[in-house]
Amino acid sequence: MHLTLRQLKVFESVARHLNYTRAAEELFLTQPAVSMQVKLLEESLGVALFEQLGKRVHLTEAGREVLGYARAVTQQLDELENVLNRLKGLGGGKLRISVATTANYFIPTLLGTFSRRYPGVTVSLDVTNRESLLQQLSDNTVDLVIMGQPPAELDAEADAFMENPLVIVAPPEHPLANRKKIPLKRLQDEVFLVREPGSGTRIAMERFFAEREMHVKTGMEVGSNEAIKQSVQAGLGLGLLSRATIEQELTLKRLVVLDVAEFPIMRHWYIVHRSGKRLSTVAQAFKTFMLKEARALIDGKTPSPSSSKRRRH
Ligand code: PGA
């Protein structure tokens, strides 16, 4: 067998995405280069790893076997890199973090501060939905994840580092815009725009109304916070969004927050990793940075030494 680590890495990426184009984007390669690496690996192993049925790519049985070994090899190498980084200190190293789409409204600022403090560190940031974050934790392909609710599905360590209030937004000309203390039940007369299934915000919204046995009318299903804001401004309905997503619109007076009883819904942001994961020096430094400083940096306040801690099993 004459396979290379590069071929295994490319194969792992294609197998994870089941898509050559996305693997090529992730690895900064062209699609033909990705196909070539997979072909060379197949030739050297003497088996087909993928099959294409219609437009979809599937792993063959041999492909699934090889994937297990490819992951074990890459994880061992990552661990070796982590151990060496630890020996070398924080001069270099790579931080792989993935964040929920809503968290991307504040994460770049924090990464900026962290990167200036540790200029040798390379950061790989993925912004994706909750379902995919859970998959990455489960596959152990990420160091740290930022999400709005700790995963109940797997053994993970989750620390809260900042509040995440969810508010109801409306266009400034909405009849409820200047009302004080709007009763919760009044919302049943309104139509809400909702995020896609799998969004943490949507799950929180559904749980909140279900717990109160309320049925709110849902209008369009919209796949991003940005699109929800645009649709609310266009008068298509109300939105229930994380406060972090609407700073600009509030400043520009394009949206208002409604004063509704029991709102905001107070959630938290969590920094999460698999229990027992051996964090690299860099990942450990980032976690400490988030727990100690994130909130203060975002709020422009002094750091508070305490942060609520929570573990999930
Ligand atoms: P989102 O936010 O999935 O709705 O973007 C993350 C969360 O609140 O869990």
Side-chain angles (χ1 to χ4, degrees), residues 174-217:
H174 192 279
L176 294 178
N178 296 314
R179 286 263 304 272
K180 295 268 171 272
K181 298 200 170 58
I182 303 162
L184 197 54
K185 297 278 178 209
R186 172 67 179 78
L187 296 180
Q188 294 186 141
D189 303 336
E190 300 292 325
V191 172
F192 277 81
L193 303 166
V194 287
R195 285 275 306 276
E196 77 285 2
S199 142
T201 311
R202 171 155 169 182
I203 295 168
M205 169 180 177
E206 287 175 348
R207 186 178 307 136
F208 177 84
F209 288 125
E211 280 169 3
R212 284 153 188 80
E213 293 178 357
M214 277 180 64
H215 299 283
V216 291
K217 284 176 247 157

Side-chain angles (χ1 to χ4, degrees), residues 31 105 130 135 160 186 193 200 207 278 291 299:
Q31 208 211 309
Y105 285 82
R130 180 177 173 86
Q135 191 61 48
R186 172 67 179 78
L193 303 166
R207 186 178 307 136
R278 292 172 67 180
L291 293 180
D299 290 356

Side-chain angles (χ1 to χ4, degrees), residues 10 13-14 17 19-35:
V10 170
S13 178
V14 179
H17 293 293
N19 186 312
Y20 284 82
T21 313
R22 258 189 260 153
E25 278 165 15
E26 179 177 274
L27 300 166
F28 302 107
L29 293 173
T30 60
Q31 208 211 309
V34 167
S35 304

Side-chain angles (χ1 to χ4, degrees), residues 100-102 148 195 199-201 267 269:
T101 42
T102 300
R195 285 275 306 276
S199 142
T201 311
R267 302 179 76 216
W269 287 113

Side-chain angles (χ1 to χ4, degrees), residues 112-219:
T113 308
F114 184 77
S115 301
R116 278 192 294 281
R117 200 170 296 170
Y118 304 111
V121 170
T122 13
V123 180
S124 125
L125 169 68
D126 188 18
V127 182
T128 184
N129 66 20
R130 180 177 173 86
E131 206 175 300
S132 153
L133 293 176
L134 291 172
Q135 191 61 48
Q136 292 181 15
L137 281 170
S138 154
D139 294 344
N140 196 19
T141 53
V142 66
D143 293 326
L144 293 163
V145 160
I146 308 283
M147 62 200 325
Q149 187 169 348
E153 302 81 346
L154 44 88
D155 199 2
E157 199 170 302
D159 295 272
F161 61 88
M162 193 165 75
E163 292 81 13
N164 175 21
L166 301 187
V167 294
I168 297 185
V169 292
E173 60 280 5
H174 192 279
L176 294 178
N178 296 314
R179 286 263 304 272
K180 295 268 171 272
K181 298 200 170 58
I182 303 162
L184 197 54
K185 297 278 178 209
R186 172 67 179 78
L187 296 180
Q188 294 186 141
D189 303 336
E190 300 292 325
V191 172
F192 277 81
L193 303 166
V194 287
R195 285 275 306 276
E196 77 285 2
S199 142
T201 311
R202 171 155 169 182
I203 295 168
M205 169 180 177
E206 287 175 348
R207 186 178 307 136
F208 177 84
F209 288 125
E211 280 169 3
R212 284 153 188 80
E213 293 178 357
M214 277 180 64
H215 299 283
V216 291
K217 284 176 247 157
T218 50

Side-chain angles (χ1 to χ4, degrees), residues 4-17:
T4 65
L5 286 173
R6 183 176 171 76
Q7 287 164 3
L8 284 183
K9 209 171 158 186
V10 170
F11 163 70
E12 193 279 330
S13 178
V14 179
R16 185 159 28 87
H17 293 293

